[in-house]
């Protein structure tokens, strides 16, 4: 095994070619940019604590959370998203002292504005109070210390919590104990040279969500890439046996930036409880070689870690089929606005959700690489500016169909969700755009209308009450946190 201590020391003296940005905090004191230095990927394990409004506090062991660490030339050490069960885009700052890495606390890791109240979320050193049966900020010290050993970087006192607190020290219910960073050795599957990867469509879920993947055959071996949209190069390998294709479980597909977990594809069956599954050794598909289709009644999980079951994404009743895209494309089918929560000063944001079919008006699938969409405030096409949306690369008017920054733009199949910060318009609309060379075809602009009584859908049928999370994904009514409920008349309401 590679000696971690030697690796750390080497990193600290070999940063002549920095990767990242200067060590700058934003206006809220959060380190949101990747610092300059040598970037290392680790396997982070911990006992993680979460809080659910209905079930209270829970703790369980997790492995293979992404341990993203930067070693800087000045001796500082930086860790991204310090909590295994609460992914953040921020970094915490430490320093090497003797054979240890030391993090001073408190450190601000997240800022939020809700109903006019500002919240600062803080990394704190915490201890367990047996009398109150909870964790509290440790009054005897402020340092979180990790020992640098040959087999990794290990928390010096595993009973201390790397805790997430409010500014006043109140525990949020999230944090980790028994934290370690060890060498990560799993590799993604490589597609053999000469295998032609063709575009197929991956369908899943009760809502008919889908996205493009690539599939290639090499004798009886079959390769599929892009099952997880945020990991387009992640590949799984299956075996053709007659009219069945079997994909063994626990196949590594990459380090996911959105969940901050190393993801593994595995078959599973639902237990009936919300987001609970029993793992399968393999997932088996019915295979029709003539029609080029694969279908399974099981669930394909993108699991956080290889061993412990921690579903990050679940693809129910997965199906794949080869699709011949219409040459030149057709007029895109009309999208719809399925969720709209206007901007509120108290919340500091609004939320809009679109359903955008990747099909033309005749139902023929369109290549999502050629699809975009525009958002309209009244009849004005919206440009999203990089100074307001910090995780986009530049000002954006035409939004690529598959675009997600994991922060303010989200996509799940045909569902697209955007945080909005604008007011002063009456109606909000969306239009799908197909663009291929000199060809440009547009759907109708479809609007949600603001009326005196709030939001209504003109001429719409009654809809079942539907609950969403803040990424626009359907959620259980009993799930914790802020939820948005869409009533049968189309009106929306935030629920805490």
């Amino acid at each position: 095994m590679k000696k971690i201590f030697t690796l750390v020391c080497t990193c600290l003296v070999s940063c002549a070619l920095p990767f990242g940005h200067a060590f700058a905090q934003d206006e809220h004191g959060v380190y949101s940019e990747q610092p300059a230095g040598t970037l290392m990927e680790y396997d982070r394990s911990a006992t993680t604590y979460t809080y659910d409004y209905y079930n209270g506090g829970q703790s369980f062991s997790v492995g293979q959370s992404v341990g993203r660490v930067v070693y800087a030339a000045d001796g500082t050490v930086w860790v991204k998203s310090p909590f295994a069960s609460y992914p953040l885009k921020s970094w915490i700052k430490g320093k090497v002292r003797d054979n240890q890495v030391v993090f001073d606390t408190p450190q601000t890791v997240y800022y939020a504005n809700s109903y006019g109240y500002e919240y600062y979320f803080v990394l704190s050193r915490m201890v367990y109070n047996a009398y109150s049966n909870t964790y509290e900020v440790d009054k005897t010290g402020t340092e979180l210390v990790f020992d640098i050993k040959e087999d990794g970087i290990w928390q010096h006192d595993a009973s201390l919590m790397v805790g997430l607190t409010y500014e006043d020290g109140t525990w949020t219910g999230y944090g980790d104990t028994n934290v370690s960073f060890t060498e990560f050795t799993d590799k993604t599957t490589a597609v053999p040279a000469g295998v032609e990867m063709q575009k197929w469509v991956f369908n899943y879920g009760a809502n008919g969500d889908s996205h493009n993947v690539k599939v290639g055959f090499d004798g009886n071996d079959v390769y599929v890439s892009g099952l997880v949209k945020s990991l387009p190069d992640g590949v799984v390998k299956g075996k053709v046996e007659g009219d069945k294709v079997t994909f063994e479980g626990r196949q590594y597909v990459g380090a996911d930036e959105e969940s901050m977990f190393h993801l593994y594809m595995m078959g599973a069956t639902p237990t009936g409880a919300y987001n609970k599954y029993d793992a399968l050794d393999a997932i088996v598909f019915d295979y029709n070689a003539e029609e080029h289709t694969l279908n399974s009644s099981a669930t394909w999980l993108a699991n956080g870690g290889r061993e412990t079951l921690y579903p990050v994404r679940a693809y129910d009743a997965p199906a794949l089929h080869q699709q011949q895209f219409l040459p030149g494309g057709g007029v895109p089918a009309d999208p719809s606005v399925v969720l709209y929560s206007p901007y509120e000063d108290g919340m500091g944001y609004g939320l809009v959700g679109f359903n955008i079919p990747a099909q033309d008006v005749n139902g023929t699938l369109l290549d999502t690489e050629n699809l975009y969409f525009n958002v309209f405030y009244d009849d004005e096409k919206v440009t999203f500016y990089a100074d307001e949306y910090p995780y986009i690369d530049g000002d954006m008017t035409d939004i690529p169909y598959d675009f997600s920054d994991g922060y303010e733009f989200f996509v799940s199949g045909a569902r697209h969700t955007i945080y909005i910060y604008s007011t002063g318009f009456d109606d909000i609309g969306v239009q799908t755009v197909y663009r291929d060379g000199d060809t440009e075809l547009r759907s109708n602009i479809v609007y949600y209308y603001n009326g005196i009584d709030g939001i209504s859908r003109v001429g719409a049928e009654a809809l079942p009450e539907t609950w969403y999370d803040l990424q626009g994904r359907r959620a259980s009514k009993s799930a914790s946190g802020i939820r948005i409920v869409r009533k049968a008349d189309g009106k929306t309401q935030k629920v805490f």
Side-chain angles (χ1 to χ4, degrees):
M1 175 182 290
K2 189 180 296 181
K3 305 299 184 185
I4 300 295
F5 176 75
T6 303
L7 184 62
V8 171
C9 294
T10 302
C11 289
L12 292 175
V13 298
S14 63
C15 298
L17 297 175
F19 182 85
H21 303 270
F23 313 140
Q25 294 170 295
D26 65 18
E27 66 270 26
H28 303 297
V30 178
Y31 291 102
S32 56
E33 299 283 349
Q34 179 173 306
T38 299
L39 175 66
M40 302 296 297
E41 295 272 358
Y42 291 103
D43 176 351
R44 177 174 58 182
S45 298
T47 300
T48 193
Y49 292 73
T50 65
Y51 181 81
D52 182 286
Y53 179 81
Y54 293 93
N55 300 314
Q58 303 177 73
S59 66
F60 48 91
S61 297
V62 295
Q64 297 182 311
S65 170
V66 176
R68 187 154 292 163
V69 180
V70 168
Y71 298 96
D74 64 356
T76 54
V77 180
W78 304 78
V79 175
K80 184 176 183 180
S81 189
F83 312 104
S85 59
Y86 201 99
L88 296 170
K89 291 183 177 291
S90 58
W91 297 75
I92 60 171
K93 178 183 178 180
K95 58 179 179 283
V96 173
R97 185 178 67 197
D98 299 327
N99 294 340
Q100 295 177 320
V101 179
V102 181
F103 297 92
D104 289 322
T105 65
Q107 295 188 37
T108 302
V109 293
Y110 185 66
Y111 165 83
N113 186 312
S114 179
Y115 283 98
Y117 294 95
E118 293 186 311
Y119 294 93
Y120 289 85
F121 295 87
V122 176
L123 168 79
S124 297
R125 166 172 153 162
M126 306 189 76
V127 293
Y128 180 69
N129 185 323
Y131 179 78
S132 58
N133 191 32
T134 189
Y135 279 86
E136 60 187 27
V137 173
D138 188 1
K139 295 181 174 62
T140 67
T142 60
E143 293 183 341
L144 288 166
V145 180
F146 290 76
D147 297 323
I148 303 171
K149 301 182 180 181
E150 290 189 351
D151 58 346
I153 304 172
W154 297 77
Q155 190 174 0
H156 181 74
D157 183 346
S159 68
L160 292 174
M161 173 175 281
V162 182
L164 180 64
T165 68
Y166 296 102
E167 190 177 19
D168 64 359
T170 304
W171 187 34
T172 63
Y174 290 88
D176 297 332
T177 61
N178 195 28
V179 182
S180 65
F181 296 80
T182 56
E183 184 179 10
F184 184 76
T185 58
D186 286 357
K187 305 295 183 184
T188 55
T189 299
V191 178
V195 175
E196 181 183 2
M197 299 294 286
Q198 298 180 329
K199 287 183 179 179
W200 282 44
V201 179
F202 181 36
N203 296 96
Y204 46 89
N207 297 324
D209 290 336
S210 67
H211 65 266
N212 293 344
V213 297
K214 292 184 178 179
V215 178
F217 289 84
D218 184 21
N220 288 329
D221 294 332
V222 56
Y223 298 87
V224 182
S225 66
L227 290 171
V228 180
K229 293 185 71 173
S230 58
L231 298 171
D233 297 324
V235 176
V236 295
K237 178 183 178 181
K239 179 72 69 175
V240 179
E241 296 176 310
D243 61 353
K244 305 290 183 184
V245 173
T246 301
F247 294 88
E248 297 297 330
R250 296 174 169 82
Q251 296 194 45
Y252 180 57
V253 291
D256 179 41
E257 283 285 340
E258 295 183 7
S259 66
M260 291 301 293
F261 268 94
H262 293 286
L263 295 188
Y264 295 76
M265 296 301 300
M266 62 177 66
T269 55
T271 64
Y274 177 68
N275 204 35
K276 300 294 184 181
Y277 298 86
D278 291 325
L280 301 172
D281 292 333
I283 185 169
V284 180
F285 286 76
D286 295 324
Y287 174 49
N288 189 316
E290 293 184 358
E291 297 183 4
H292 306 286
T293 61
L294 293 163
N295 294 277
S296 176
S297 59
T299 297
W300 221 349
L301 292 183
N303 192 69
R306 183 177 53 241
E307 302 301 333
T308 303
L309 205 61
Y310 189 82
V312 172
R313 294 178 183 83
Y315 306 104
D316 296 320
L320 299 102
H321 67 273
Q322 189 176 23
Q323 177 67 48
Q324 299 297 324
F325 297 108
L326 182 66
V331 175
D334 286 348
S336 57
V337 187
V338 296
L339 172 67
Y340 178 46
S341 182
Y343 176 87
E344 298 178 18
D345 288 334
M347 290 295 290
Y349 60 83
L351 195 69
V352 62
F354 308 117
N355 189 73
I356 305 177
Q359 299 173 345
D360 70 5
V361 292
N362 296 313
T364 302
L365 199 72
L366 297 173
D367 190 344
T368 58
E369 292 182 4
N370 298 328
L371 281 179
Y372 304 82
F373 65 95
N374 298 136
V375 178
F376 291 82
Y377 296 156
D378 295 330
D379 58 355
E380 181 180 349
K381 190 184 298 183
V382 178
T383 296
F384 296 92
Y385 295 101
D387 60 352
E388 191 172 33
Y389 292 83
Y391 293 102
I392 63 178
D393 293 331
D395 298 347
M396 186 165 54
T397 303
D398 296 334
I399 305 169
Y401 188 89
D402 292 322
F403 177 74
S404 171
D405 66 358
Y407 190 71
E408 291 161 314
F409 291 80
F410 296 89
V411 58
S412 176
R415 179 64 49 79
H416 301 256
T417 309
I418 303 174
Y419 283 78
I420 58 175
Y421 306 104
S422 298
T423 58
F425 56 89
D426 293 323
D427 311 321
I428 187 167
V430 60
Q431 181 181 49
T432 310
V433 183
Y434 178 87
R435 187 177 296 132
D436 186 6
D438 295 332
T439 300
E440 182 173 290
L441 301 169
R442 293 177 175 269
S443 72
N444 294 310
I445 303 174
V446 179
Y447 284 95
Y448 237 43
Y449 295 95
N450 280 330
I452 295 175
D453 297 325
I455 306 158
S456 62
R457 299 199 319 156
V458 175
E461 74 282 2
L463 296 171
E465 182 178 278
T466 309
W467 292 72
Y468 300 90
D469 64 14
L470 291 182
Q471 284 76 49
R473 301 171 299 198
R474 290 198 177 187
S476 167
K477 182 177 180 179
S478 62
S480 62
I482 301 175
R483 292 292 179 263
I484 295 174
V485 57
R486 185 187 64 189
K487 303 290 188 178
D489 59 3
K491 296 180 181 179
T492 61
Q493 178 185 357
K494 290 188 181 74
V495 177
F496 295 83

